[in-house]
Each structure stands twice: as structure tokens, then as C-alpha cells.
Amino acid sequence: MAATLTEQELDEIYVFAVQLGKDAGKLLLEAAQLRISGSGDQTVQSFTEKDNAVDIVTKTDEDVEQFIKTSILSKYPHHTFLGEESYSKSTTPSSRPYLIPSSGPTWCVDPLDGTVNYTHLFPMFCVSIGFLVDGAPVIGVIYAPLLNQLFTSCKGKGSWLNETQRLPLMRNPVPPMPKNAPQGCIFSCEWGKDRKDKKDGNLHRKVDSFLNMAAEVGGREGKGGMVHGVRSLGSATLDLAYTAMGAFDIWWEGGCWEWDVAAGIAILEEAGGLVTTAKVPMNPDTAEIEPVRLGGRLYLAIRPSGPGEGETGREGQERTVREVWKRVRELDYSRPGA
Amino acid sequence: MAATLTEQELDEIYVFAVQLGKDAGKLLLEAAQLRISGSGDQTVQSFTEKDNAVDIVTKTDEDVEQFIKTSILSKYPHHTFLGEESYSKSTTPSSRPYLIPSSGPTWCVDPLDGTVNYTHLFPMFCVSIGFLVDGAPVIGVIYAPLLNQLFTSCKGKGSWLNETQRLPLMRNPVPPMPKNAPQGCIFSCEWGKDRKDKKDGNLHRKVDSFLNMAAEVGGREGKGGMVHGVRSLGSATLDLAYTAMGAFDIWWEGGCWEWDVAAGIAILEEAGGLVTTAKVPMNPDTAEIEPVRLGGRLYLAIRPSGPGEGETGREGQERTVREVWKRVRELDYSRPGA
């Protein structure tokens, strides 16, 4: 079925997806405004008396997903829809097989990424809408309404900020990866939800990895990466968007689901970025750098790169991937069939 | 001299400071736009051929500070001016005594906070302008031009986002601190520049502290704080602004200079937040919670809080301070005379 999508059809889906992202973001913003007004506002009285902040956010999450799902299936009844809310209710994480059908037009949606930020009204939250053909992300729409930042892409048409600025932002020329990467790089990572204080658990593997990336060169038994900065925003989706923008050089994460990353991968790849696995290979210096497998749950992304001294942009990205592999530990996020 | 400032004079200074912040932010944005256009743009050809990104940013930093300094001293020739760029050139960190005169109107300015972000065009950078009377911050202006977020305050007149939304954003009512804080809190912290892999050095003290705040309750030998989220933006100034907004619950940092925090402290305190020292007292449960000493270099800030069950907002903030003190390690940032 996918093979039958004409360029015109894809264009039409792109226009639809962008408008859907804007509308969904507006719903998120309206619900946030209600929380700012609080119970002093008559219209939300019953809302805030009954529910706490987390209930309200959960309801917004579900309402926005329902809006997106209904909009998509009304217009494209034969497309497949995968959304975070609907899916996480019908399954437990440990029983989730790969979700993406190998063919057919598929939507992969997170109505609200950065839920904790949204609860606290920290602006780093967004709606994320990815559209896949044959299992590969071809359209991405990420909208952070409180930041007024809209990231969009369609395969072959470039990636854009607010529909006017092409990504990456610096492009005349696109800077190469730093010569001694990860030195000079902004490293983006998240603490996540797995906080078990278990020897060799994910929390400690993450902190070991963060420390290796951050420590002085020569430190950490030679693993010190002395990155320029370590950033944690609390939204995997926006981490990917800022990597596409060129603002972050490296994003490394484990545990994401398809809806967290589908749109971000579409936007990053279309901007010229590289996304592969954070699964650490036996020999990081020579292992093949495989294209990302959506659903693999372990991700490593590098920003778009121009050519540097004696290497292409792609070679600079691959060099950076290898340097990260040498410094991070493999996180424990398996899934059935993976 | 400070005591002679009338309310009308203070109002006039406030209006002047806000406009100065807007103008300075515009200069930062214009310089960023030049970098986005790159060498493809004739007007910046000579600029980008000669200099690397860091040189350009340093030049912008200095130019904007010069603009702010000249503007202030033209209008208020008898005021004292302290700026990051001018000061850091004339001193080495280890020889810097307390900078703030004990009386007299004093401006404390960071022309560009979040320099690494600015270099990478990640939007979390800002200009920070604080105005002090008798050593206490009474006016704060923080402007992040790429986010289009302007934070302002004047003692007695409230703190504001974009001159229209009063801070904290949620204020009908202002939520109390969570009952089991730091659980439920967003914890804001930075990795900073001291990356020495030295046993018991600042990097390891920070990571120990982050881990204690993040780990599950009961973990880390009872210190696990299970915060809702850990965030690192790369700008101490914006960390304070988001704490004033209520988006972050706790901000903890060491090593800041006066210009990093003067405006942020003014805005946070006027919004109802608490700022004290991150120096860990002998007995965290009973130690007095002293007002922040600008220049102390160790800071702990708590967002504005409404009353909770059986406690005032202030009591909730103090309870949170004590819970943080129990979990963080004291960082090693001394200064002469401190």
C-alpha cells in the first residue's frame, strides 16, 4: 500500500500533519492556561476541585490523543494509528512487541512529550506526530506551544523551524564535528524514570556514562570526554529537535518508545543528522554504524555536520558515534523480539 | 546615597533597566542571526573568515557589556557598575574579593549568561541586569531573546513574565511545596566547568548530590530523594528565572559569581521564592536559614510556595531547604574574605 503513495499524496499528508500539530499544540496550551488561571476562574472550578495536577495532565494527554486519532482516522480511515496513551493502556511495557507494521502508512503519536515539565509549566513540552511508510519515518511534526517552536519535515523537502528557517540553523556552511569530539560538543541526556539504586542498574550506568562524557580529558581512566556542556531538558522529543537544529551535538538515551522518537528521527535525518543504536558493539572502532531501528529503545543521535579537515560530514558523525560508544555503558531496556 | 532613592527614582530606574535589557537582548539576537546567515552573507564575510565561533561570541559578550555599561554610566554617572567581562579581565578568580559595595546604587550585569548555549545557538541564553541598593538586589531584568521571554521585577511591584503574566504562573492559589519534598519536585542543577576527575573534587561532589536527589526513596543509604525530574539548562540565570516562575522547585549550585545571580535573586525573591546558602550546616534539621549573601558563591533556591497542610508557605520552603541540605555535598568554591 505504501508504495502507492504519490508525491502529491505525501504533500497533502504533510500539510495535514502540520496543521494537526498546530491544533493539538493549541489544545495543550489552552489546558495549561486553565491551570495558570486556576480555580479562581469559574470555568475550571469543577475541574480543579475534584482533580489534582497529575489527573488534569493525564486527562489532557488522553483528550489530545483522542483528538489527533479521530482527526487522522476520519481523513485517512485505512491508515494505522499508534498513540502513547491508547497503547500504554492496553499493554504492559514488558509485553510490548515491535509496534510498527513493516508496511502501510502508519502514524506514530505522542500527544504530550515532557509530561513532568507540563505538570510544572516548564515550557519544554510538545506534541509529536510522526508518519511512517514501510516502517521508516518520512514526516515529522513537533510543536512546543509555550516556546512557540514548530519543527517540521517531509522526506526530500528539508527540515524547518517555524516553517521559515531551514535546519540546521547554521548552514553557510554547516559546521563540521569538532576535531576532538566529544570535546566541544553539547551532550544531551536524561535521567529518566528508572531510579533504582541497584548496583549496575540503569541509574548507575547512566551516571557512569554522564561522568565519562563530562570529565576532563585523561580522567576516568582515559574515558574523560570533556564535553562542552551536559544538558537535560526532560523531553526526548525536544532533545531530538534541538539536535536537528544543531544546538545539541550528541543525544544519547535508552528506554524510549516509538512515539517518543518517530517524529524527531524524521526531522533529524531530513536535516542531515545521523541516528543509530546506543547498543555498544564489541569493537567500537570498527563496528558497522547501522541505521536506527525504530523500536530498538536505545538511541544515539548526532547533529547534521559539514565536511571537516580530510573527512566528509558523515565521516565526522561516525567518528563521533565511535567516541561516544567508547564512553557510555549499555542500558538495560530489552523488549520482546528485540 | 542609597537611602536617598525615592520611590519615583526607583520607578524611573526600573523603566530604564527593562528597556536596557530589551535593547541588549536585541544585540545578542542580531549577532546570533549573523552567525545563522554565516559567511554566505556578504556583510559578515570578513567576520567569519578571520574568527572562529568562540572569538565571535567573546566579541559579542564584550560589545554588549560595553553597550550596557556606557548606557548606565551616561544616565547615572554616580552609580557603580560591575560587569562580568570587565571584571574577569582585571582579576583572577582566586583574587576576587567581595565585589558589592555595602551601600550606594550598584549595577551587577552579565551581558550573556549561557555562553556555551549561545555558541551552539541553543535558545537558553540571556542578558542579566541586576540593580542593588545597600548590597541587596531590588531590580532584576533577565531577557532570553531567542525564547522571547523577559523576566522583570522591582521590589514591591511583583515579578513578571513578558510584562503581562505575574510570577509565579500558578497563583490561584500558589501550590504548596510537595508533602514529601524533594519527591514531586523538579531539581535544577548544572554540571559546570570544573571537570577534574579528582577524588572528592567538585565534579564528584556534584554527581553524588545529583544521585542522592534522583535515586529512589530508601536508596543511597536513605538519602534517595526521588525528585520528579532533574534538569540542566546551562544557564544559572535562567535556572533562577524558571524557579521564580514555579517551573522548577529547587535550584542548587556552586561557583556562581555576583553577575550570574543578582537579577535572578531579585526576581525570585520578589515572586515569593527563598534563596539561601548551599553551605551545609552542622545540623540541617535545626540550623537557621539565613538570607542569601550575594557573593557567597554557594546557592540554594526554592520556588514561591503557598500554604499547605498545617504549614505556611515559608515553612514549606524551609522544610524543603533542610531536605536538600541532607542530600547534597558542600562544593569547594571559596573566595578571599568569605
Side-chain angles (χ1 to χ4, degrees), chain A residues 24-59:
Chain A
K26 207 173 150 227
L27 292 178
L28 291 179
L29 196 57
E30 282 169 3
Q33 295 293 353
L34 287 184
R35 293 185 50 233
I36 291 173
S37 317
S39 57
D41 181 332
Q42 283 298 332
T43 60
V44 289
Q45 193 97 34
S46 62
F47 204 31
T48 50
E49 271 175 13
K50 264 174 40 198
D51 305 322
N52 65 29
V54 174
D55 292 334
I56 294 170
V57 170
T58 305
K59 186 168 163 17

Side-chain angles (χ1 to χ4, degrees), chain A residues 5 35 44 62 99 119 125 149 161 281 283 314:
Chain A
L5 275 181
R35 293 185 50 233
V44 289
E62 289 169 359
L99 304 177
T119 312
F125 60 84
Q149 292 189 318
L161 172 61
N283 193 335
R314 172 79 193 189

Side-chain angles (χ1 to χ4, degrees), chain A residues 36-37 39 117 120 124 169 172 184 191 195-197 207 210 214 216 220 227-228 230-234 247 249, chain B residues 36-37 39 117 120 124 169 172 184 191 195-197 207 214 216 220 227-228 230-234 247 249:
Chain A
I36 291 173
S37 317
S39 57
N117 290 339
H120 292 251
M124 288 285 168
L169 286 182
N172 288 313
W191 289 75
R195 309 284 186 74
K196 284 191 210 76
D197 182 27
V207 170
F210 298 174
E216 61 184 332
R220 303 282 295 168
V227 294
H228 210 178
V230 179
R231 302 288 177 266
S232 301
L233 305 182
D249 301 280
Chain B
I36 292 174
S37 315
S39 58
N117 291 338
H120 292 251
M124 289 285 168
L169 287 182
N172 288 311
W191 289 74
R195 309 284 187 73
K196 285 191 208 74
D197 183 27
V207 170
E216 62 183 331
R220 303 282 295 170
V227 294
H228 211 179
V230 179
R231 301 289 177 267
S232 301
L233 305 182
D249 301 280

Side-chain angles (χ1 to χ4, degrees), chain A residues 15-26:
Chain A
V15 171
F16 170 77
V18 171
Q19 188 58 48
L20 190 59
K22 290 180 185 173
D23 293 343
K26 207 173 150 227

Side-chain angles (χ1 to χ4, degrees), chain A residues 53-224:
Chain A
V54 174
D55 292 334
I56 294 170
V57 170
T58 305
K59 186 168 163 17
T60 303
D61 215 342
E62 289 169 359
D63 287 352
V64 174
E65 176 157 323
Q66 195 53 48
F67 163 76
I68 296 173
K69 185 176 181 175
T70 306
S71 304
I72 290 171
L73 296 182
S74 309
K75 190 159 170 86
Y76 302 108
H78 303 298
H79 288 190
T80 303
F81 177 88
L82 292 173
E84 190 204 3
E85 288 305 305
S86 7
Y87 204 86
S88 57
K89 268 197 202 140
S90 61
T91 61
T92 58
S94 61
S95 72
R96 284 177 196 161
Y98 276 104
L99 304 177
I100 311 294
S102 58
S103 69
T106 301
W107 297 76
C108 196
V109 171
D110 189 351
L112 172 55
D113 190 82
T115 312
V116 170
N117 290 339
Y118 187 74
T119 312
H120 292 251
L121 292 176
F122 177 55
M124 288 285 168
F125 60 84
C126 61
V127 52
S128 173
I129 299 176
F131 177 71
L132 320 174
V133 175
D134 292 343
V138 292
I139 287 173
V141 177
I142 295 172
Y143 181 35
L146 206 51
L147 293 168
N148 200 25
Q149 292 189 318
L150 172 71
F151 302 87
T152 55
S153 77
C154 181
K155 205 173 178 68
K157 296 183 186 302
S159 293
W160 299 84
L161 172 61
N162 291 341
E163 302 178 273
T164 48
Q165 288 189 283
R166 190 149 180 184
L167 302 180
L169 286 182
M170 275 187 269
R171 50 187 308 105
N172 288 313
V174 176
M177 296 309 294
K179 227 184 253 180
N180 301 312
Q183 279 184 73
C185 291
I186 292 192
F187 174 58
S188 158
C189 56
E190 304 293 344
W191 289 75
K193 289 176 195 157
D194 184 350
R195 309 284 186 74
K196 284 191 210 76
D197 182 27
K198 204 176 73 180
K199 196 169 178 281
D200 211 40
N202 278 327
L203 179 63
H204 290 281
R205 292 188 196 190
K206 277 198 163 179
V207 170
D208 275 355
S209 307
F210 298 174
L211 251 174
N212 287 344
M213 294 294 281
E216 61 184 332
V217 173
R220 303 282 295 168
E221 297 174 345
K223 289 197 171 174

